[in-house]
Amino acid sequence: MQTLPHERLYAFSGGLLGPSAQARRIRRILALSGHHLRFGWPETGECVAVWGHAKRAARGEWVSARSGAGLIRLEDAFLRSLFPGRGGEPTIGLLLDRGGIHYDPSQPSDLEILLATDPLDDPALLARAQLGIARMRALRLTKYAAFAPDILPPAPGYVLVIDQTRGDASLRHGGLAGPLPADIFQTMLAAACAEFPDSQIIIRTHPETNAGHRAGHYSAADAKAGRIALLRDPVSSWDLLTGAVAVYTVCSQLGFEAILAGHRPRVFGLPFYAGWGLSVDETPHPRRGRSLSTQQLFAAAMLRYPLWYDPCRDQLCSFEQALDYLEAHSRAWREDRKGYVALNMRLWKRAHLQGFFGRWQKLRFRRQPSPDRPNLVWGAAPAPQGAIRVEDGFLRSHGLGAQLTPPISLIRDDLGIYFDPGTPSRLEALIAAPLPPGGEARADALIATIRAQGLSKYNLPGALPVLPDGHRILVPGQVEDDASIRLGAGVIATNLALLAETRAQNPDAIILYKPHPDVEAGLRPGAIAPDLALRYANQIIHRTDAAALLEVVQEVWTITSTIGFEALLRGVPVTTFGAPFYAGWGLTRDLGQIPARRSARPSLGALAHAVLIAYPRYLDPITGLPCPPEVALERLAQGATPHKPSLRALAKLQGLFASYAYLWR
């Protein structure tokens, strides 16, 4: 991320000073970097800011020339948002260029100077670049990150020709001395047809053309007898690049992504990525002769050149943090874009369900399933065929769900549900799958934060009591009618039986019994009379912070409690009598019946990645945005989480209004 000296910037267009979400975002990013936009006459040594080569940029250019002030051109970074800016969504990255701008090769831009002169040989920087490329590819993220995962690209073996929008600044200023030739797109298409006479030609249209905002250069008239086809569907660019045998572009950013995907694209213009030995260039650039690696190109364009912004934290951030945010944001859009019908949901749950799953399409609450859209059901409730099950996540809140405390995380399972070992679940599939690039390190960092901040599922307060010395075994009580007990327990299915068996197998240990918070609060069944519990336990631990307790015990024995997973995160050995989601993977001592399909042997980091990163969805309680788990941890550590309504009637009223949110959304 580039750093700039603090200075005043002057602007002369509504696109920068106006009320739109994009203008507000631009001003915020500039302010966080120490630059405050204002209207007025600049002095020599100050700067005027303009947006690229937009029509209104001429005003700022004139003021700059007349006043002697410098000129800074602003543009979106190469990872922007789900959709193009005309859709109203603001950018997460900003380019500030004092030399020119990346798409104008007539004069050196700051990016070109970086690529031409910076050594770009720092091993740590190149490692970040390598991982960044791999993550973008695995997540299938590009400048506009919305794609439909259920729409597949054509059969592999085609030639990919990339269209752009008419009149785009990259075309008007894409030549060494002015605009690119008007017929350059037809020249490119003719070259692709001549050089690959036996291959299908796929023309990828621009997202803004598909949305009807701006015209492209190709139309249905260019499709000829199946040899040439226009592709308007929202297919992932990475999937499209994977199936291509060659890529042709004028100056589209998709040419840059083609390089990241391992192609050597044929380039007919002079985009920032041409001239460095990574493309076949129709027009040589007189200033560019250096040979760069793909990692060096990425390091300059994605790590050094832009200013990245985290909308949840409202601060400048690294490329990696911006990618984390876009990953969460795009995942929510992909999963929710068709809308849902939520079946038989309790009134108090509806508001936060609307927040999690109703951002792009209205969430309707019904008693009967919908035949034409996905159906959501809560937990293990009866469900129609193909329903998606929803439950609380494993880092949930400050407070109990039984006390109406809204969650900061929910899981969405299209295969089963994690606490039912009788059927496969999406969580099982994620645990058994290979880790994505950087997944282990990210999970390890998350585990370290959880331990350092003393976080758990409910984060309930409670001082740690004086404990007896010796080998301490924690036995967490559970809600005895909970679905995880009904579906995941074996012979031992009650808290008393668990205590008795733990004592029988550990006659000399110090056994600490911690009743479940819902049971202690009198909200759910599972209570044991104290005198009966103390026949087997040395001490009953009431209303104590589970995270603090796990730091002072040597083992955990449980049926299916989530505390067993939290113990694993802290390196505490766990014995299970049931089949909780974390059992059967070689990380626990299992005395219950474990499904044979759990044959993978993931590391603790891989398990944590599946359970805490890949499986749940998180909603930032401050901004209301989908967020990565790192932001959720910060909110939990700061106590900035949703609070339960003071009255159950208020919760019901809130849920009732959420049912009709489609009327004002």
Side-chain angles (χ1 to χ4, degrees):
M1 182 175 67
Q2 64 171 315
T3 57
L4 298 171
H6 290 200
E7 61 187 346
R8 290 182 293 184
L9 294 180
Y10 294 85
F12 300 91
S13 72
L16 297 178
L17 296 171
S20 70
Q22 172 74 345
R24 294 196 305 271
R25 177 64 57 80
I26 293 167
R27 292 196 296 271
R28 184 58 181 155
I29 295 175
L30 289 172
L32 289 169
S33 66
H35 301 78
H36 296 277
L37 279 181
R38 63 191 65 206
F39 184 81
W41 192 260
E43 299 177 1
T44 303
E46 295 181 324
C47 284
V48 175
V50 298
W51 187 260
H53 285 87
K55 290 182 180 179
R56 294 184 181 89
R59 300 175 187 170
E61 294 166 353
W62 181 86
V63 172
S64 171
R66 290 293 299 269
S67 66
L71 186 71
I72 293 180
R73 295 193 190 273
L74 309 178
E75 264 289 351
D76 290 324
F78 303 123
L79 273 181
R80 187 196 186 279
S81 54
L82 290 177
F83 307 102
R86 292 174 189 269
E89 190 178 13
T91 186
I92 62 167
L94 193 63
L95 306 177
L96 286 75
D97 203 306
R98 295 170 178 270
I101 195 65
H102 67 86
Y103 56 75
D104 180 1
S106 65
Q107 57 184 340
S109 66
D110 290 354
L111 178 55
E112 183 182 314
I113 293 169
L114 265 175
L115 291 166
T117 64
D118 193 294
L120 297 172
D121 58 358
D122 178 67
L125 179 70
L126 296 179
R128 285 181 62 201
Q130 182 70 36
L131 180 56
I133 295 169
R135 284 194 66 194
M136 282 182 60
R137 185 167 193 166
L139 296 169
R140 296 188 284 177
L141 293 180
T142 57
K143 184 174 184 177
Y144 307 122
F147 66 90
D150 52 344
I151 299 179
L152 301 178
Y158 50 82
V159 174
L160 182 62
V161 174
I162 303 166
D163 196 8
Q164 294 176 243
T165 56
R166 288 184 180 273
D168 188 76
S170 66
L171 303 176
R172 290 186 286 109
H173 300 271
L176 287 172
L180 291 167
D183 62 350
I184 193 168
F185 283 87
Q186 292 303 323
T187 300
M188 177 172 67
L189 180 59
C193 291
E195 291 163 15
F196 289 87
D198 300 321
S199 298
Q200 184 182 22
I201 309 294
I202 299 294
I203 299 174
R204 174 60 179 265
T205 57
H206 193 277
E208 288 198 274
T209 302
N210 297 335
H213 297 312
R214 301 170 72 181
H217 294 83
Y218 300 113
S219 67
D222 294 297
K224 300 175 182 177
R227 164 104 158 103
I228 303 173
L230 292 178
L231 180 65
R232 301 183 184 276
D233 297 332
V235 177
S236 161
S237 296
W238 289 99
D239 292 347
L240 199 56
L241 289 166
T242 298
V245 296
V247 177
Y248 286 69
T249 183
V250 175
C251 52
S252 168
Q253 186 183 311
L254 194 49
F256 171 55
E257 292 158 4
I259 292 172
L260 303 185
H263 285 282
R264 198 161 179 260
R266 179 82 180 273
V267 179
F268 283 72
L270 288 169
F272 72 89
Y273 52 83
W276 312 108
L278 296 169
S279 54
V280 179
D281 302 323
E282 184 73 12
T283 304
H285 195 294
R287 292 190 306 270
R288 302 176 190 173
R290 185 184 183 190
S291 293
L292 297 173
S293 68
T294 303
Q295 291 74 25
Q296 287 174 311
L297 178 67
F298 185 92
M302 304 297 276
L303 305 182
R304 290 276 181 85
Y305 188 39
L307 289 170
W308 295 110
Y309 174 75
D310 185 334
C312 293
R313 297 179 175 98
D314 185 30
Q315 64 185 29
L316 298 183
C317 66
S318 66
F319 163 79
E320 290 82 0
Q321 287 175 310
L323 195 64
D324 291 344
Y325 166 77
L326 196 57
E327 174 187 1
H329 204 55
S330 63
R331 175 188 170 187
W333 182 83
R334 290 196 307 273
E335 292 180 352
D336 303 346
R337 72 189 191 282
K338 295 180 179 179
Y340 300 101
V341 167
L343 301 177
N344 301 305
M345 296 293 179
R346 294 181 179 179
L347 283 174
W348 82 271
K349 294 180 185 289
R350 296 185 181 186
H352 60 257
L353 287 169
Q354 193 72 254
F356 269 92
F357 302 116
R359 185 174 185 82
W360 288 281
Q361 289 286 339
K362 56 196 174 190
L363 184 60
R364 298 292 183 90
F365 296 94
R366 297 286 186 268
R367 294 187 179 276
Q368 297 299 322
S370 168
D372 57 358
R373 63 176 56 200
N375 294 282
L376 297 181
V377 298
W378 188 266
Q385 184 72 25
I388 297 169
R389 297 189 181 275
V390 178
E391 252 290 353
D392 291 331
F394 306 104
L395 292 166
R396 186 192 185 279
S397 54
H398 274 285
L400 302 173
Q403 294 177 324
L404 308 187
T405 306
I408 200 171
S409 66
L410 291 175
I411 62 95
R412 172 191 178 280
D413 200 310
D414 58 338
L415 296 179
I417 192 68
Y418 70 88
F419 51 72
D420 182 3
T423 59
S425 69
R426 178 59 61 187
L427 179 56
E428 284 185 344
L430 290 168
I431 293 172
L435 273 167
E440 186 102 32
R442 188 179 180 190
D444 288 346
L446 213 62
I447 293 170
T449 300
I450 289 170
R451 294 198 61 174
Q453 298 292 341
L455 298 175
S456 62
K457 181 173 183 176
Y458 295 113
N459 300 287
L460 299 171
L464 193 66
V466 177
L467 301 175
D469 292 331
H471 185 83
R472 303 184 187 115
I473 297 177
L474 174 62
V475 176
Q478 294 186 243
V479 176
E480 290 185 353
D481 69 348
D482 188 73
S484 70
I485 294 291
R486 290 188 289 104
L487 300 171
V491 175
I492 294 174
T494 67
N495 292 324
L496 186 60
L498 172 63
L499 270 175
E501 185 62 25
T502 303
R503 172 56 72 195
Q505 296 197 35
N506 300 275
D508 300 322
I510 302 297
I511 295 179
L512 307 174
Y513 176 62
K514 185 183 187 307
H516 191 280
D518 282 351
V519 175
E520 279 190 305
L523 301 170
R524 303 286 295 277
I528 306 175
D531 59 337
L532 195 55
L534 290 172
R535 290 184 186 179
Y536 308 105
N538 297 84
Q539 189 170 341
I540 301 174
I541 310 298
H542 291 288
R543 293 177 172 83
T544 297
D545 179 8
L549 193 55
L550 287 171
E551 296 292 343
V552 296
V553 301
Q554 284 71 52
E555 291 185 68
V556 169
W557 286 50
T558 183
I559 305 173
T560 60
S561 172
T562 303
I563 286 181
F565 172 67
E566 295 175 354
L568 291 178
L569 298 184
R570 291 161 172 85
V572 178
V574 177
T575 296
T576 68
F577 287 95
F581 64 88
Y582 53 85
W585 308 105
L587 299 170
T588 52
R589 177 172 174 254
D590 302 318
L591 303 180
Q593 189 68 33
I594 303 297
R597 63 181 177 271
R598 296 186 186 177
S599 58
R601 289 296 175 262
S603 65
L604 177 62
L607 177 71
H609 187 279
V611 175
L612 299 176
I613 299 175
Y615 192 44
R617 292 257 298 269
Y618 296 90
L619 190 72
D620 179 17
I622 304 299
T623 64
L625 293 169
C627 70
E630 292 83 359
V631 170
L633 287 187
E634 290 178 18
R635 302 304 192 217
L636 288 171
Q638 297 161 359
T641 58
H643 299 291
K644 63 177 180 289
S646 57
L647 297 173
R648 286 178 181 260
L650 179 60
K652 291 183 178 181
L653 185 63
Q654 182 186 35
L656 186 62
F657 275 111
S659 304
Y660 296 95
Y662 64 90
L663 293 175
W664 57 79
R665 277 177 178 266

